[in-house]
Amino acid sequence: MDSSTPKPELSRDEITPQKLYLTRRQFLKAAGVVSASAFLAACLGTPEDASPTDPALADVQTKRELAENFNNYYEFSLSKTSVAEAAKDFNMQPWQVEVDGLVRNPKKYTIEEIVSLFPQEERVYRMRCVEGWSMVLPWQGFPLARLLEDVEPLPEAQYVGFMSILRPEEMPGQTSLSFPWPYLEGLRLDEARYDLTILATGLYGEALSPQNGGPIRLVVPWKYGFKSLKAVVRITLQADQPVTFWNAIAPQEYGFYANVNPSVDHPRWTQSEERRIGETGSRPTLLFNGYDEVAPLYEGMDLRVNF
Ligand code: MTE
């Protein structure tokens, strides 16, 4: 993501024609998600049942082994394959999430309270990193909207800011002065309340591992992965657009909105294609990562300017 991040290598010759635009409902059905309370089915999605038209573009769940050993988590390491080892002793107990700012009911929740207060459900989502790779991941978690209802945002609240934990004694990357720690992210309040936006506490039917953002992280599937902040400790309702980590570092490269968009290229590489981890070749990037239902949130906005 920084200037040392290599440009993803995508070969035009390998692209399968773009035929598949699954809606979320079709996608969840294809992926075998049957009810809100259903936990992980042993096998989610096969090329045959996921795509009626082009099996090569079907969404197949990424193997757990890959998802847990190929991570972006700069607090631990800049090397994706080193994060799991570097994070293995990260202490996730006790854990507290503070919700404050423009709310009627500011609260501090322990992770245990969160899991018991808010019914956990499974969501199988595509995850598209701004660097040009993607995965299909079976999260367990709950809509952020439920937590927001609990704290009751005041009418002046327009945005939600998120903060990751600051713990340099356990996170070697945080001793680097090149980055403005802690990692921060933000959403507009309507995006935060949108049903697809979840706080995840599990992955593959088990508690979230440290490298995947445990014990609790944000997941916003229609935005580039950097919006999905790991290890959340604070959520703040505010009137103004929050400062965010990558946008503060390189605003011309990482916008506040960061909606997945094949027609807005990163200044240093194309966004029209992506590499699905575990597959060879590349596939077309889908607008809003295929979650077209969010389009009304951006009606009247120029997505090229507000990228
Ligand atoms: N959250 C924190 N706190 N620190 C990070 O470095 N990286 C982001 C996001 N959340 C990051 C983060 C990026 S760039 C991506 S693509 C996803 O996490 C990667 O999530 P994964 O490692 O679980 O696949």
Side-chain angles (χ1 to χ4, degrees):
M1 306 262 301
D2 66 346
S3 52
S4 64
T5 305
K7 178 180 180 293
E9 281 168 22
L10 298 169
S11 151
R12 284 212 163 261
D13 306 340
E14 292 170 324
I15 302 167
T16 316
Q18 180 164 2
K19 286 187 192 151
L20 185 69
Y21 286 94
L22 289 177
T23 65
R24 171 172 172 261
R25 204 157 276 121
Q26 286 169 321
F27 175 67
L28 290 177
K29 193 167 158 236
V33 175
V34 287
S35 75
S37 60
F39 262 61
L40 191 61
C43 172
L44 293 174
T46 64
E48 291 73 35
D49 67 10
S51 167
T53 51
D54 188 347
L57 289 182
D59 287 296
V60 177
Q61 190 183 296
T62 302
K63 287 199 171 64
R64 180 175 181 175
E65 172 85 3
L66 295 173
E68 300 210 327
N69 291 287
F70 185 88
N71 304 101
N72 267 339
Y73 206 165
Y74 274 30
E75 286 89 332
F76 287 104
S77 174
L78 305 194
S79 150
K80 295 180 209 321
T81 49
S82 305
V83 172
E85 174 64 22
K88 72 177 190 321
D89 297 324
F90 180 58
N91 192 1
M92 301 189 288
Q93 204 77 20
W95 197 271
Q96 199 168 262
V97 179
E98 178 170 14
V99 190
D100 64 359
L102 298 172
V103 293
R104 199 154 282 128
N105 254 337
K107 279 196 182 175
K108 286 181 184 164
Y109 303 89
T110 64
I111 189 70
E112 292 77 13
E113 283 166 344
I114 286 177
V115 172
S116 70
L117 268 175
F118 305 108
Q120 306 288 303
E121 56 186 271
E122 174 166 277
R123 298 285 181 98
V124 182
Y125 284 158
R126 300 181 196 93
M127 215 250 316
R128 167 63 156 85
C129 179
V130 73
E131 295 165 342
W133 52 268
S134 61
M135 298 191 187
V136 176
L137 300 172
W139 302 104
Q140 289 81 45
F142 62 100
L144 175 61
R146 298 291 88 74
L147 181 136
L148 294 174
E149 283 160 12
D150 199 41
V151 294
E152 299 181 50
L154 295 169
E156 311 88 89
Q158 298 294 318
Y159 293 89
V160 187
F162 302 86
M163 187 191 284
S164 286
I165 195 160
L166 182 66
R167 203 189 275 167
E169 64 282 15
E170 282 188 54
M171 299 177 128
Q174 286 185 339
T175 57
S176 157
L177 300 178
S178 329
F179 294 106
W181 306 111
Y183 195 101
L184 302 173
E185 257 310 332
L187 294 171
R188 240 172 34 197
L189 182 55
D190 57 343
E191 298 178 316
R193 281 183 164 141
Y194 201 79
D195 180 66
L196 287 173
T197 305
I198 60 168
L199 287 173
T201 55
L203 187 58
Y204 297 95
E206 285 186 26
L208 209 51
S209 63
Q211 65 267 36
N212 289 117
I216 182 166
R217 75 177 290 174
L218 182 65
V219 180
V220 193
W222 72 94
K223 293 180 179 285
Y224 290 120
F226 69 86
K227 298 293 290 183
S228 293
L229 164 146
K230 297 177 172 183
V232 186
V233 288
R234 188 167 174 200
I235 299 176
T236 305
L237 281 283
Q238 48 197 87
D240 302 321
Q241 185 173 301
V243 170
T244 59
F245 185 80
W246 283 109
N247 185 247
I249 295 167
Q252 68 292 354
E253 301 197 349
Y254 308 106
F256 174 78
Y257 282 93
N259 292 319
V260 175
N261 191 339
S263 54
V264 178
D265 283 340
H266 186 281
R268 291 182 281 134
W269 58 80
T270 178
Q271 292 294 24
S272 66
E273 303 146 12
E274 66 196 58
R275 183 169 62 92
R276 185 62 58 81
I277 299 302
E279 289 180 3
T280 51
S282 57
R283 47 168 73 216
T285 295
L286 305 178
L287 179 62
F288 299 122
N289 207 17
Y291 301 96
D292 315 344
E293 62 184 88
V294 301
L297 291 174
Y298 308 103
E299 230 157 52
M301 260 178 73
D302 184 344
L303 296 178
R304 292 187 157 271
V305 178
N306 298 290
F307 64 95

